[in-house]
Amino acid sequence: MELRNLSGIGPKMASRLRKMELCTTRDLCFHFPARYEDRSKVVSVENVPLETPVSVRGILTNVSRRKTRSGLELITAALTDGMDSLRLTWFNGKYLYSRLLALQHKEITVYGVCRESRYGAVITGGEVLEDPETGEIIVPVYSLTEGISQNMMRRFVQKALEYEKSFLAETLPDSLRARLDLPGLREAVFAMHYPEDPKAFARARRRLAFEELFVLQLALTQRKRRQALPGKGIPFVIPEGFFADFEKMFPFSLTEGQKRSIKEIAADMQRPDCMNRLLQGDVGSGKTLAALAAMLICCSNGRQAAIMAPTEILAEQHYLNITSLLGDKAAKYPAALLKGSLKAAEKREALLAAESGDASLIIGTHALISDRVSFKNLGLVVVDEQHRFGVLQRTALYGKAGTGPGARPDMLLMTATPIPRTLTNAVYGDLDVSVIDTMPAGRQPVKTHWKKPEERPAVYKALKTLTDKGLQAYVVCPLIEGSEQISARAATELFCELSEKYFPGTKVALLHGQQPTEEKEQIMASFRRGDTKILVSTSVIEVGVDVPNAVCMIIESADRFGLSQLHQLRGRVGRGKEKGFCILISDGATEESRKRLGTMTSTNDGFVIAEEDLKQRGPGELSGVRQSGLSDFRVANIFRDGELLREAKALAKQVIGEDPELSGSEWQRLRPQVAEKTKELEGTTD
Ligand code: ADP
Ligand code: MG
């Protein structure tokens, strides 16, 4: 029922409630308290504690009112137990005065916070409870909007609940509720507003949180199923002895995380369904190697594999990296590099290699999805730094599978933006996830220091001893939101200062997004070769660049970057044998920035940092989370409800397996909610 039709709510109130998106009685039923006040402990006047909310019982006396000098109406009274007494004051209590007069000399309970004042102990604006014996002991406190008081809201909610009592129909099947020991919807909703005790509240909360998580997981699982197209993929054959041969290709041994991930990927690839797997791993964890294993499985089945990277620098890096990792196998698996900035003749050659099948491995940027590119028989698509690409860009490569058995290539997405472990499930409910959680042996954690801007000369002096040893460094300029142009100018200034004043005899170079691609490439190549010792840049180097000889990273105005972004940046150094350093330059002016810098200097665990980022900035700020349908839970809390989330996911998988479209009558009430959630998930683009 529309709220304006509820007795006691006029058009004016209805419009105020509408501002809080409360339009119907049902909305009000689901407007759960922001918190509760426990009024079960009632103390006598003599025992009132200071500065904490408390219920005090006593006799009401001395009720009077007067105007203060500032024109406010002040009501004063006293609460006494015969010996001690307590002062009570209220401002502008229009109806309160007559009510208090009526209660004078009776025993009442006042709920409020007692403070010391020059008149002794006083409770200002306390709430008067007439009969604590029969009154509620745990009282709901709602979020409000202007023109609606707490008491009004309590009354409205109560009326709405009374009205809806017979309409709040059960949404979850009985069998499922019995299995999970969940109370009914009506019982849970009532208990959220008026919990009898903490246990009843916890039960109600669990029930409602489960429903929210379950709806999300059902929507994600349905989506995953629709994308999977069972039987439409390619059943790859793993060559005999593949894993042992693969390990032998490298001078180092694979980490446990790499081995596990490669096994998981290989198992997916063998199945006739399309692989849809996300490979997560901190910067430097060696994701490229796992991708290479997948590509080799693909190629040894006579199919092409493509890898798409978000920047030209990174695509080129992959090309060099992969050909050198392949070593003497490089001839067996010819690779082509496809990017926007190729000269016409080079481009033609690369396009031809992809189309004819002469190239087994095709490495590139967005250029890969252009209409001019076609493949002979694409079997696997690897997308690096997947969050940089939109869903459409990712799936565009599907259409390029070419001929042969199986209609769609397998898909491996990679990301170094660590989503907190507690969230992976919920965020990527429609993907299978592998995690490389071990760093290559011998890799030392990057040591991070925080320095004030005035300490720069000392920092540069320390840097000088490194470059004198032939080691290299990055200097990253402040992130200037929305303006690469201003960022570039800041970088240019810093570059001049460093090359002229501090490092006149050293090769310093400048890299920013305003330079032509060719120039950027030359600069990067020179740094990679080790000719350039110090690279001053805007944050364009954020992604994936791998120069083992670079051991130091200085980040200017570090507090302007997100924690995860800082972590990505410092992951660029300390990739070789030498220990890596990261210097965060910031005046640490605010409490918050000091806290963020403290997190960076104290931990190297990308997941901890992501979690911290999430706590400090909220899920909306974390890339990949915004579009996950996680930001709008009423009850569920992704930090506390991890267990429930796992349960919801497992059940959703089972349910969708048996009834993909939820057509059974037991899902009748949940189906519209799932459809709504699906629309929400698809409506947002990433
Ligand atoms: P990322 O996960 O950030 O993409 P890369 O795949 O670029 O990491 O790997 C970073 C570096 O670590 C590369 O130089 C790579 O050759 C090296 N590497 C990868 N795996 C191992 C390993 N198991 N042991 C030692 N070095 C490794
Ligand atoms: Mg990488």
Side-chain angles (χ1 to χ4, degrees), residues 247 250-256 258 279-291 314 317-318 321 324-325 384-385 414-416 436 438-443 544-548 568 571-572 575-576:
E247 286 222 59
F250 314 104
F252 45 72
S253 49
L254 303 189
T255 64
E256 282 310 310
Q258 283 172 322
L279 178 60
Q280 234 190 309
D282 216 341
V283 272
S285 59
K287 293 185 292 297
T288 316
L289 216 75
L314 192 55
Q317 171 108 23
H318 274 313
N321 212 348
S324 93
L325 282 171
D384 196 12
E385 303 297 339
M414 305 202 289
T415 183
I436 304 187
T438 39
M439 280 292 181
R443 181 98 32 95
V545 178
D546 188 16
V547 181
Q568 292 261 2
R572 306 287 127 230
R575 293 185 150 213

Side-chain angles (χ1 to χ4, degrees), residues 28 93 118 131 184 210 308 312 387 393 414-415 429 447 466 473 500 524 551 583 592 623 628:
L28 267 185
R118 61 193 158 117
D131 189 354
F210 175 80
M308 182 161 77
E312 299 220 342
H387 63 279
Q393 286 175 313
M414 305 202 289
T415 183
K447 183 93 189 109
L466 290 179
E500 284 159 24
M524 228 23 246
V551 294
I583 316 279
E592 198 202 310
S623 68
S628 64

Side-chain angles (χ1 to χ4, degrees), residues 37-40 55 127 129 131-140 142 151 154 158 193-195:
E37 281 169 0
D38 181 358
R39 297 179 179 176
S40 56
S55 301
E127 197 175 330
L129 313 169
D131 189 354
E133 243 79 62
T134 57
E136 304 120 321
I137 287 177
I138 297 173
V139 181
Y142 298 99
N151 274 331
R154 282 181 193 145
Q158 201 171 7
H193 293 284
Y194 314 118

Side-chain angles (χ1 to χ4, degrees), residues 31-147:
H31 182 57
F32 297 127
R35 60 189 176 84
Y36 303 84
E37 281 169 0
D38 181 358
R39 297 179 179 176
S40 56
K41 272 187 239 58
V42 179
V43 299
S44 64
V45 172
E46 140 188 61
N47 295 321
V48 175
L50 293 176
E51 305 294 339
T52 70
V54 66
S55 301
V56 197
R57 179 119 46 140
I59 311 283
L60 183 70
T61 60
N62 294 8
V63 176
S64 75
R65 82 176 149 180
R66 62 182 171 85
K67 281 241 183 303
T68 64
R69 249 173 293 164
S70 49
L72 295 174
E73 187 183 69
L74 176 70
I75 301 172
T76 59
L79 197 64
T80 173
D81 61 1
M83 295 283 286
D84 295 294
S85 76
L86 185 71
R87 190 175 151 92
L88 304 172
T89 63
W90 293 268
F91 287 100
N92 285 354
K94 229 194 212 159
Y95 307 109
L96 188 67
Y97 183 64
S98 50
R99 193 171 152 222
L100 289 174
L101 282 180
L103 287 171
Q104 186 134 249
H105 309 302
K106 292 192 177 138
E107 186 167 51
I108 62 160
T109 303
V110 176
Y111 180 82
V113 176
C114 187
R115 300 203 159 84
E116 268 304 322
S117 76
R118 61 193 158 117
Y119 304 106
V122 56
I123 291 179
T124 302
E127 197 175 330
V128 177
L129 313 169
E130 290 165 44
D131 189 354
E133 243 79 62
T134 57
E136 304 120 321
I137 287 177
I138 297 173
V139 181
V141 180
Y142 298 99
S143 59
L144 302 171
T145 188
E146 203 169 318

Side-chain angles (χ1 to χ4, degrees), residues 187-490:
E187 184 190 333
V189 167
F190 273 76
M192 284 298 284
H193 293 284
Y194 314 118
E196 260 167 39
D197 53 47
K199 233 172 101 190
F201 169 72
R203 246 172 87 73
R205 212 195 73 81
R206 179 164 173 267
R207 140 83 212 215
L208 294 163
F210 175 80
E211 184 167 328
E212 286 179 320
L213 297 168
F214 190 47
V215 165
L216 173 67
Q217 291 303 328
L218 285 170
L220 286 168
T221 312
Q222 264 185 347
R223 184 163 80 160
K224 175 177 177 176
R225 196 188 158 88
R226 287 182 195 134
Q227 282 172 355
L229 296 179
K232 290 285 177 63
I234 306 153
F236 288 100
V237 177
I238 315 288
E240 190 108 1
F242 174 82
F243 297 107
D245 288 348
F246 184 72
E247 286 222 59
K248 274 189 230 133
M249 288 171 60
F250 314 104
F252 45 72
S253 49
L254 303 189
T255 64
E256 282 310 310
Q258 283 172 322
K259 282 190 214 162
R260 191 178 355 98
S261 300
I262 291 171
K263 287 263 159 70
E264 287 166 355
I265 291 165
D268 276 4
M269 291 181 74
Q270 282 176 287
R271 276 195 280 275
D273 308 340
C274 288
M275 169 165 75
N276 240 321
R277 185 168 285 275
L278 176 80
L279 178 60
Q280 234 190 309
D282 216 341
V283 272
S285 59
K287 293 185 292 297
T288 316
L289 216 75
L292 184 63
M295 292 194 276
L296 293 186
I297 291 173
C298 173
C299 293
S300 61
N301 280 256
R303 284 186 169 264
Q304 294 169 296
I307 176 165
M308 182 161 77
T311 65
E312 299 220 342
I313 291 177
L314 192 55
E316 185 175 336
Q317 171 108 23
H318 274 313
Y319 178 80
L320 295 174
N321 212 348
I322 285 169
T323 43
S324 93
L325 282 171
L326 281 173
D328 52 11
K329 284 212 166 74
K332 197 170 156 204
Y333 302 109
L337 177 62
L338 238 171
K339 49 181 186 167
S341 65
L342 289 178
K343 292 198 190 69
E346 293 170 328
K347 201 176 277 173
R348 221 173 307 120
E349 197 180 325
L351 284 170
L352 197 66
E355 198 178 336
S356 66
D358 284 351
S360 305
L361 304 169
I362 298 95
I363 299 153
T365 57
H366 303 82
L368 281 181
I369 53 177
S370 101
D371 285 342
R372 293 176 55 201
V373 183
S374 59
F375 299 90
K376 178 152 178 259
N377 54 6
L378 189 60
L380 170 75
V381 172
V382 181
V383 182
D384 196 12
E385 303 297 339
Q386 60 91 23
H387 63 279
R388 295 286 200 98
F389 294 99
V391 174
L392 282 179
Q393 286 175 313
R394 283 188 327 232
T395 47
L397 279 165
Y398 273 153
K400 299 183 177 289
T403 52
R408 285 168 76 167
D410 277 354
M411 182 78 77
L412 178 66
L413 308 171
M414 305 202 289
T415 183
T417 306
I419 297 288
R421 267 181 264 266
T422 42
L423 293 187
T424 318
N425 233 340
V427 177
Y428 296 120
D430 56 341
L431 299 172
D432 299 300
V433 179
S434 293
V435 182
I436 304 187
D437 49 8
T438 39
M439 280 292 181
R443 181 98 32 95
Q444 302 175 55
V446 176
K447 183 93 189 109
T448 302
H449 304 274
W450 164 31
K451 297 285 176 195
K452 299 265 172 95
E454 57 268 26
E455 295 175 272
R456 272 200 204 95
V459 170
Y460 296 146
K461 207 167 147 196
L463 181 56
K464 185 91 175 44
T465 60
L466 290 179
T467 54
D468 283 348
K469 276 198 269 179
L471 296 167
Q472 295 165 278
Y474 299 97
V475 180
V476 178
C477 290
L479 183 74
I480 296 164
E481 210 58 62
S483 178
E484 174 64 25
Q485 219 165 343
I486 304 176
S487 306
R489 202 156 64 218

Side-chain angles (χ1 to χ4, degrees), residues 15 32 133 181 198 254 295 330-331 352 389 527 541 543 603 627:
S15 89
F32 297 127
E133 243 79 62
D181 187 28
L254 303 189
M295 292 194 276
L352 197 66
F389 294 99
F527 190 66
I541 56 156
V543 185
T603 180
Q627 65 271 28

